[in-house]
């Protein structure tokens, strides 16, 4: 199974939180569509089927991870 780089997971989680707030605040169609895309990507990146589990898995993977480590990018 492919594993997303911690920096990617962190970016996705931050974007999810921002879009969730925008969608709840304004109910904008574009924000909702992008939120759906980010939710799907988080599920794929974590190997899960729902956003709640995806967030749990992403947080678990990020605990202790060095998000600034780009050693995998050069491999």
């Amino acid at each position: 199974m492919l594993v997303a780089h911690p920096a990617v997971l962190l970016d996705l989680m931050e974007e999810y939180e921002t879009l969730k707030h925008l969608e709840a605040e304004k109910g904008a169609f574009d924000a909702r569509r992008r939120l759906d895309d980010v939710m799907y990507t988080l599920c794929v990146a974590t190997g899960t089927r729902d956003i709640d589990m995806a967030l749990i898995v992403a947080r678990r993977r990020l605990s202790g991870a060095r998000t600034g480590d780009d050693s995998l990018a050069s491999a």
Side-chain angles (χ1 to χ4, degrees):
M1 178 172 134
L2 293 175
V3 178
H5 190 279
V8 172
L9 288 176
L10 186 59
D11 287 348
L12 286 168
M13 289 176 62
E14 288 172 355
E15 188 173 5
Y16 170 77
E17 292 300 328
T18 300
L19 289 166
K20 190 78 168 156
H21 179 72
L22 280 175
E23 199 269 332
E25 187 176 277
K26 298 180 182 177
F29 178 73
D30 290 341
R32 181 63 208 182
R33 231 171 53 193
R34 181 64 188 142
L35 179 60
D36 288 342
D37 289 345
V38 170
M39 290 168 50
Y40 173 80
T41 305
L42 262 169
C43 287
V44 170
T46 57
T48 60
R49 292 181 182 224
D50 68 58
I51 189 61
D52 293 327
M53 187 55 70
L55 292 170
I56 291 168
V57 171
R59 286 185 192 112
R60 189 176 301 146
R61 287 188 188 161
L62 286 174
S63 66
R66 298 176 309 186
T67 57
D69 180 10
D70 63 351
S71 60
L72 293 177
S74 62

